[in-house]
Amino acid sequence: MATGWGSLLQDEQQLEELARQAVDRALAEGVLLRTSQAPSSSHVVSYAPFTLFPSPVPSALLEQAYAVQADFNLLVDAVSQNAVFLEQTLSSTIKRDSFTARLFDIHKQVLKEGIAQTVFLGLNRSDYMFQCNPDGTTALKQIEINTISASFGGLASRTPAVHRHVLSVLGKTKEAAKILSNNPSKGLAMGIAKAWELYGSANAQVLLIAQEKERNIFDQRAIENELLARNIHVIRRRFEDVSEKGSLDQDRRLFMDGQEVAVVYFRDGYMPGHYSLQNWEARLLLERSCAVKCPDIATQLAGTKKVQQELSRAGVLESLLPGQPEAVARLRATFAGLYSLDLGEEGDQAITKAIAAPSCFVLKPQREGGGNNLYGEEMVQALERLRDSEERASYILMEKIEPEPFRNCLLRPGSPARVIQCISELGIFGVYVREGKTLVMNKHVGHLLRTKAIEHADGGVAAGVAVLDNPYPV
Ligand code: ADP
Ligand code: MG
């Protein structure tokens, strides 16, 4: 994929000067992270890593990703309301994966007591790579959908100015004008604001469940700031605070420090390490409440890799979205090969295929946050170890997407600018709000492009592998 940055990437002196300008602009725009040395403090911060140039993205695939986002929102919402589908889909997984089992347990408890929540809010991000086919064509293939704590909407709103700056310095005004405007944080905040409004209590607040050590705080603040501009107040608390100072009244309204909470927005709680016993209890308290959870526990489960794999089975989309064949076709077109590893013949065949062609597959456990998947020789060893064990049901197997690499220059605090072969992953942010059975909002609200060196199979920006980027439509 040609962008025309080729010759620019060869002039080392010019790159260094451009990098200095780009970094200063990124800092000025607020493309910031706290440092790994002081993740709880904003006294000294640095820029979030990013590419010096925007990276090529086929316009048709960008449009396709935007066009299918409302369908993915509908699908996630449908799965979250389908207790039978969730139970069937996750039954083998929860036997062997204690984290998913714990989430599922809360889901069951809430169902048993009766769901008090009447307004539902989804803020998700569907991620894709561009499969490069042998005939030279490219295809949009979904990597996963994130239904909890989907991040970088705030920083992605601020990176277009940085790339426009770089291209303007080079006198490339026509190219600079091609960088798309992007404001996911505004759209995400609009979803929270709508849910807050439908909850219908003027003095109620938004409770952001935060981690103590949060390098990505400026990303979250971008959303908080948008809400405050609408006069909606956000309080940041940890799970531990909820267990100490959170309570429900007899109508299961949620109170924190005596203040009513309309919306709970999770930026924590998506990994096993986020939960102590006390935190699980806090999560249950939040789920039992009538506050709008973003996401509620069923929607978090709808985002598991096991659900993703089951959705790709023949007939499943049709049964979840009846009477919507066009939406089904748009969704299915983005699916890569996905294979169950449940005990049985189907799983045995998948394992045999993956062991025979390791470079064509990825082995995925039910985890979020990057760095958990297995590839190549490591995958083969794991599959051989798991072959005869029920534990294999806690994984899925996925076709490995092979994008065409391109060259770009990655900028990270403390490292020299590096020109390397890269691949990108495109995310589209989706927002929906449902009141009872009525969908009152369903839209896409922006994008995120992340780029990484080809030698890294796995990992996102937070994991220190990928960097922020912008699509350069080609
Ligand atoms: P996580 O929930 O940890 O983000 P992902 O499914 O997004 O899990 O995988 C993490 C990273 O691994 C992705 O960002 C991508 O770089 C890489 N990856 C995942 N699935 C595939 C795939 N099928 N083909 C190629 N790379 C993949
Ligand atoms: Mg991911």
Side-chain angles (χ1 to χ4, degrees), residues 63-128:
E63 278 169 33
Q64 187 190 348
Y66 266 107
V68 73
Q69 188 55 43
D71 304 321
F72 270 116
N73 293 343
L74 268 185
L75 179 62
V76 168
D77 191 39
V79 171
S80 77
Q81 293 175 80
N82 194 328
V84 174
F85 175 78
L86 277 177
E87 173 133 32
Q88 278 171 358
T89 299
L90 296 172
S91 62
S92 56
T93 307
I94 58 179
K95 278 194 207 136
R96 288 292 155 171
D97 186 84
S98 58
F99 179 63
T100 312
R102 207 80 203 232
L103 294 171
F104 191 77
D105 211 43
I106 293 182
H107 168 61
K108 291 293 276 186
Q109 284 188 64
V110 172
L111 282 179
K112 196 165 163 217
E113 189 181 14
I115 299 172
Q117 181 175 348
T118 56
V119 176
F120 294 82
L121 164 66
L123 303 180
N124 62 47
R125 200 189 68 222
S126 182
D127 291 338
Y128 307 88

Side-chain angles (χ1 to χ4, degrees), residues 31 33 47-51 159 215 411-413 461 464 466-469:
V31 184
L33 284 180
Y47 61 94
F50 63 99
T51 57
T159 54
R215 290 190 63 196
L411 305 177
R412 296 176 192 285
V461 179
V467 308
L468 300 174
D469 197 349

